[in-house]
Amino acid sequence: MKLCDHLVPLMKNIFPDSRIAKEIQMARTKCTGVVKNVLGQCCFDELTEELRKTRFSFLIDESTDIGTVKNMCVCVRYFSLKLNRVTTRFFSLVQCFSSKNADEANTGATAEALVRMGAIQFIQKCVCHSLHLCASEACKVLPRYCEDLARDIFNFFKHSSKRQAQFQEFQEICNIEPHKILRPSQTSGLDTDC
C-alpha cells in the first residue's frame, strides 16, 4: 500500500496530458481503504456466492507475523464453474488470540483451540497421509501383478541410459510429450513420510 505514495505522482509525470491521471488523489491510507473495503469485500462476496453452488473444502494454516500476532489463514478448494477446473482461493485471515482474552493465549494454538474458534467445526488432516490411505485402499482391489508390472517396467529402465534414450526416441516418433518413468511408491501397507 505504501507504493501508492509514489505511484500516483509517477503516473501524473508519465501521463501529463491525461485528465484522469491529473485528478487522481490517492495515497496509502485511501488505497488501503479501497483494497480492504471495496475490492476485498467485492471478491469475498463473489467467492461466497460461488461457494453456495458447489462443495468445497477448507485448507488452514496458522503462523505468527512480525508483530507477534498469531493468525490462521483459511483457503478454500473447490471446482470453479467459471474456470472449469479445481482452484484454491484465499478465504479469510483469522486472528487466533484476542488481546482481551488472556486464557486463549495461555491455552495456545492447539487443534482443539482452533476448532473452538468457529461456529462451523472442521478437522483438517494431513493431505499427504489422506492420499496415501486412499491409494493403499485402491491398490487392495487391484491384482498384485499390476503393481509388479509397474515396478518391473521402472526397474527395466532405471539403470540403463540406452533404454531411457530409446524410450525418449519412441515418444518422439509417436509425437507425444516426453515423460520420465517414475518409481512406483510404496502403497501395500508401508507407511511413507509426508
Side-chain angles (χ1 to χ4, degrees):
M1 305 304 170
K2 292 179 183 179
L3 180 64
C4 264
D5 290 342
H6 307 287
L7 181 63
V8 173
L10 177 66
M11 288 180 7
K12 289 180 181 184
N13 285 338
I14 293 174
F15 309 112
D17 57 338
S18 170
R19 185 180 55 83
I20 295 171
K22 285 179 188 174
E23 294 179 7
I24 293 177
Q25 296 295 320
M26 185 180 334
R28 78 175 91 165
T29 306
K30 189 184 287 184
C31 181
T32 301
V34 168
V35 169
K36 282 184 175 179
N37 304 321
V38 180
L39 297 175
Q41 189 60 48
C42 180
C43 289
F44 183 78
D45 293 344
E46 181 184 295
L47 176 60
T48 53
E49 187 60 36
E50 195 171 2
L51 293 177
R52 285 188 176 103
K53 300 172 188 169
T54 187
R55 295 178 186 258
F56 58 90
S57 61
F58 285 108
L59 304 168
I60 61 171
D61 193 14
E62 54 89 19
S63 67
T64 306
D65 69 6
I66 59 172
T68 67
V69 176
K70 192 165 280 287
N71 293 308
M72 180 172 67
C73 177
V74 181
C75 294
V76 287
R77 181 170 288 163
Y78 64 100
F79 182 81
S80 170
L81 297 173
K82 288 180 183 177
L83 302 173
N84 198 29
R85 64 181 168 89
V86 175
T87 185
T88 303
R89 288 190 52 194
F90 172 77
F91 186 76
S92 180
L93 190 65
V94 181
Q95 188 172 334
C96 295
F97 307 122
S98 167
S99 57
K100 298 173 187 171
N101 190 344
D103 291 337
E104 289 177 345
N106 291 334
T107 302
T110 63
E112 288 141 4
L114 292 175
V115 167
R116 282 195 307 269
M117 288 175 61
I120 301 172
Q121 296 185 0
F122 58 90
I123 298 170
Q124 175 66 35
K125 295 185 177 181
C126 173
V127 175
C128 296
H129 184 66
S130 298
L131 287 173
H132 170 74
L133 293 175
C134 290
S136 295
E137 287 301 310
C139 285
K140 288 179 183 175
V141 229
L142 295 173
R144 175 69 190 188
Y145 60 82
C146 293
E147 188 174 343
D148 291 342
L149 175 63
R151 290 188 195 291
D152 291 344
I153 291 172
F154 171 78
N155 289 331
F156 180 77
F157 287 99
K158 178 170 63 172
H159 295 296
S160 173
S161 56
K162 177 182 175 185
R163 291 177 186 154
Q164 290 175 18
Q166 290 171 332
F167 178 61
Q168 185 174 356
E169 182 183 3
F170 173 76
Q171 292 177 87
E172 289 169 4
I173 290 170
C174 293
N175 199 22
I176 59 173
E177 187 179 331
H179 290 88
K180 182 178 179 182
I181 295 183
L182 301 176
R183 178 180 177 270
S185 63
Q186 298 290 335
T187 56
S188 52
L190 298 174
D191 287 335
T192 59
D193 295 330
C194 290

